[in-house]
Amino acid sequence: MIRHAHFQLTLRCNLRCPFCGQQRLPVPEAGPETWLRAAEQLPPGIKITLWGGEPLLYGKFVFLAERLSEMGFVLEIVTNGTLIGEENASVLREKFSAVYVSLDGGEKAHDAVRGQGMFSRTARGAASLAGHRGKLVFLTTLHAGLTAGDIGWLRELEALKPDAVTLQPLIGLTGQEIAEAEKLGITGLGRWERPDDPAARRALEETWARVSREKYDMPVVLVPHFPEGVCARPGSALHISPCGEACFCTDFTGYTVGNVFRDGVAAVVDSPAARRFRALFESGAVPLCRHCPWRSQPIETPDGRQAAT
């Protein structure tokens, strides 16, 4: 049963982060009515995360979010925060259970990765959500040489008053893992290829050890690169691209189990391609899943309970 859906509204983004694994190829973007028809086929009250690219670039974002909220879905968003402003801050404050803002360290580190002045723009966007109904969570990708070592930058984030900070090591795949995945028909992985650097990994482990000894006004959580646990997402989550192509993973989207806009949700989640992927996954044949940072993150049922993994 699907308990969590990702609506990838657009692949467009106003930033060009060098580590980003999202493809920026131009694809058609569905109108809000198409997304709403897809939502009608989902179990009532489940969680829907609006995703990109940068989802706030989607032209009918406010309209779509308001309608999905009226339909009873639990809304979340992942955004770089630079486009939060008068036209969308109200709906983000009032209709979303969680706003995840990408903030890769303090001003120096964040601007080094995302561009000069981006930390200030993101901080202003986060400040405009004061009084929000849901959670404001900063997603921080740890970069060796920038956020590894000195952890003073966490005090800069603390000053922005988030409800939580999630630390995520940068995902990287070896050439061998990419070749194994391509044999299974999973494409578009070249942008994820990064050499395994034991020294960088040790630096990140030391950073987390230092963070763990500090006290902050908000919870600080580490999502490990090689987590324990078994992923429930091939049976519980559905990622839908801007043109309706669906898969089970949010990060590695270079395969499809069908087109939701054309065939409908029920047909897609039980398609031959979906059954094949689940079988490969359950046999341990999908190398990407060894790196998945979301394996340790529970999927909640609509009533807030954690689903079994």
Side-chain angles (χ1 to χ4, degrees):
M1 176 182 175
I2 299 299
R3 299 187 180 96
H4 188 181
H6 281 87
F7 285 8
Q8 190 174 29
L9 303 181
T10 180
L11 293 182
R12 291 178 292 134
C13 188
N14 59 318
L15 302 183
R16 292 293 182 269
C17 305
F19 66 91
C20 182
Q22 298 287 345
Q23 296 191 65
R24 302 190 185 97
L25 301 175
V27 298
E29 294 178 9
E33 295 80 9
T34 301
W35 285 110
L36 293 171
R37 284 194 295 271
E40 289 172 351
Q41 303 170 53
L42 296 170
I46 69 166
K47 184 184 297 181
I48 295 178
T49 300
L50 303 184
W51 195 274
E54 171 48 55
L56 295 181
L57 284 172
Y58 184 70
K60 297 290 185 178
F61 173 84
V62 171
F63 171 80
L64 178 60
E66 289 177 339
R67 287 290 292 114
L68 290 171
S69 177
E70 291 169 4
M71 294 168 70
F73 292 105
V74 178
L75 296 185
E76 298 183 341
I77 184 175
V78 178
T79 172
N80 63 42
T82 62
L83 300 179
I84 299 175
E86 291 183 9
E87 67 280 4
N88 53 44
S90 177
V91 72
L92 291 173
R93 283 195 302 267
E94 298 170 9
K95 305 296 185 182
F96 282 75
S97 68
V99 176
Y100 293 96
V101 175
S102 299
L103 198 54
D104 294 328
E107 184 170 13
K108 180 180 178 181
H110 186 79
D111 285 1
V113 172
R114 297 183 180 256
Q116 190 66 32
M118 291 301 105
F119 181 89
S120 295
R121 287 182 60 179
T122 300
R124 287 196 298 271
S128 70
L129 301 180
H132 51 282
R133 179 178 65 86
K135 298 182 297 182
L136 172 63
V137 181
F138 293 157
L139 300 178
T140 301
T141 300
L142 296 173
H143 298 270
L146 289 175
T147 42
D150 179 19
I151 59 172
W153 51 268
L154 265 169
R155 297 300 178 188
E156 292 183 63
L157 272 56
E158 182 181 42
L160 300 178
K161 302 187 183 304
D163 296 296
V165 174
T166 297
L167 307 181
Q168 309 170 111
L170 188 62
I171 296 177
L173 303 175
T174 66
Q176 181 179 345
E177 288 171 325
I178 291 173
E180 291 176 15
E182 288 176 341
K183 290 179 181 178
L184 302 177
I186 304 173
T187 62
L189 297 172
R191 63 195 187 279
W192 291 100
E193 184 170 6
R194 298 182 182 92
D196 186 25
D197 186 343
R201 190 181 297 185
R202 285 195 300 272
L204 294 175
E205 291 171 353
E206 292 168 3
T207 298
W208 175 243
R210 293 184 63 189
V211 170
S212 300
R213 293 192 291 268
E214 296 290 325
K215 292 185 178 181
Y216 299 95
D217 290 340
M218 70 284 173
V220 180
V221 178
L222 176 70
V223 178
H225 190 161
F226 295 94
E228 300 295 329
V230 178
C231 182
R233 292 173 188 270
S236 302
L238 191 65
H239 179 94
I240 307 174
S241 78
C243 55
E245 296 297 331
C247 63
F248 298 122
C249 183
T250 299
D251 287 317
F252 305 122
T253 58
Y255 66 96
T256 179
V257 297
N259 190 291
V260 167
F261 299 159
R262 181 189 63 231
D263 303 322
V265 170
V268 164
V269 297
D270 196 38
S271 68
R275 293 196 297 270
R276 175 178 180 268
F277 183 88
R278 280 193 286 264
L280 289 168
F281 169 79
E282 290 167 2
S283 72
V286 185
L288 314 177
C289 299
R290 295 195 291 267
H291 294 265
C292 180
W294 306 112
R295 280 170 55 189
S296 60
Q297 305 301 295
I299 295 177
E300 293 182 351
T301 60
D303 61 3
R305 294 180 292 108
Q306 291 184 1
T309 57

